[in-house]
Amino acid sequence: MPLTDQHRFGMQLAQMSRGWRAELDRRLAGLGLSQARWLVLLHLARFEEAPTQRELAQSVGVEGPTLARLLDSLEGQGLVQRQSVMEDRRAKKIVLCAPALPLIEQIETIATQLRSELFVGIDEADMKVCMRVHGHILANLEKS
């Protein structure tokens, strides 16, 4: 069975995602954080207001119990803190602690450097087309 361009596109996209994440993980290894932990910190840093644990789990794309274990570890390192929500005693807001901020800055610096290396030679117009295609695929996924 011959591979269609759509099939190749899907395979390339998956390979690129895995490779990109693996390379970033390799470069961040010196910070002493697992891929799961630095990913949680990055997502948490991008929220304007402290998210609930459920909101953070959705953003990261993990199940609640998985995030709970990661937060236990990050809390033990003094990087995050759980805070009670007045309106719902079962919910917890997740906030970054001061020691996490320079760490996140290092993560962002390393990630920015990697992006600049990966996008060398890619025309801005090509990038816009690619983003439009990815956006369309994402919209189709949301319909499913």
Side-chain angles (χ1 to χ4, degrees):
M1 168 198 294
L3 297 178
T4 65
D5 284 343
Q6 289 174 338
H7 186 111
R8 282 190 190 95
F9 181 88
M11 288 174 55
Q12 277 184 339
L13 190 59
Q15 183 180 7
M16 181 180 61
S17 177
R18 280 191 309 273
W20 189 327
R21 205 162 169 178
E23 178 58 20
L24 185 54
D25 195 40
R26 186 188 69 74
R27 292 181 185 206
L28 293 173
L31 299 179
L33 293 171
S34 68
Q35 185 178 88
R37 287 189 198 137
W38 62 253
L39 193 59
V40 168
L41 290 175
L42 278 184
H43 278 259
L44 191 53
R46 292 192 172 114
F47 278 92
E48 287 186 28
E49 293 182 16
T52 63
Q53 196 163 319
R54 176 178 287 177
E55 291 167 336
L56 183 57
Q58 288 173 336
S59 176
V60 176
V62 298
E63 296 294 322
T66 301
L67 181 64
R69 286 189 298 277
L70 290 167
L71 291 174
D72 288 344
S73 172
L74 291 168
E75 203 167 25
Q77 291 178 279
L79 300 175
V80 301
Q81 183 179 36
R82 292 175 172 110
Q83 294 180 345
S84 298
V85 176
M86 298 288 274
E87 307 82 43
D88 183 355
R89 290 188 299 163
R90 296 170 297 165
K92 300 284 186 205
K93 294 253 185 200
I94 312 302
V95 295
L96 289 167
C97 296
L101 302 179
L103 196 55
I104 290 167
E105 200 171 298
Q106 287 179 286
I107 294 167
E108 291 284 9
T109 298
I110 293 167
T112 298
Q113 176 61 38
L114 176 59
R115 275 193 305 274
S116 70
E117 291 171 23
L118 295 178
F119 286 102
V120 166
I122 297 176
D123 184 68
E124 189 175 330
D126 290 341
M127 178 67 79
K128 287 183 180 182
V129 169
C130 190
M131 288 174 58
R132 190 172 63 243
V133 170
H134 288 168
H136 197 92
I137 291 169
L138 287 169
N140 289 342
L141 279 170
E142 288 178 11
K143 290 179 195 174
S144 297

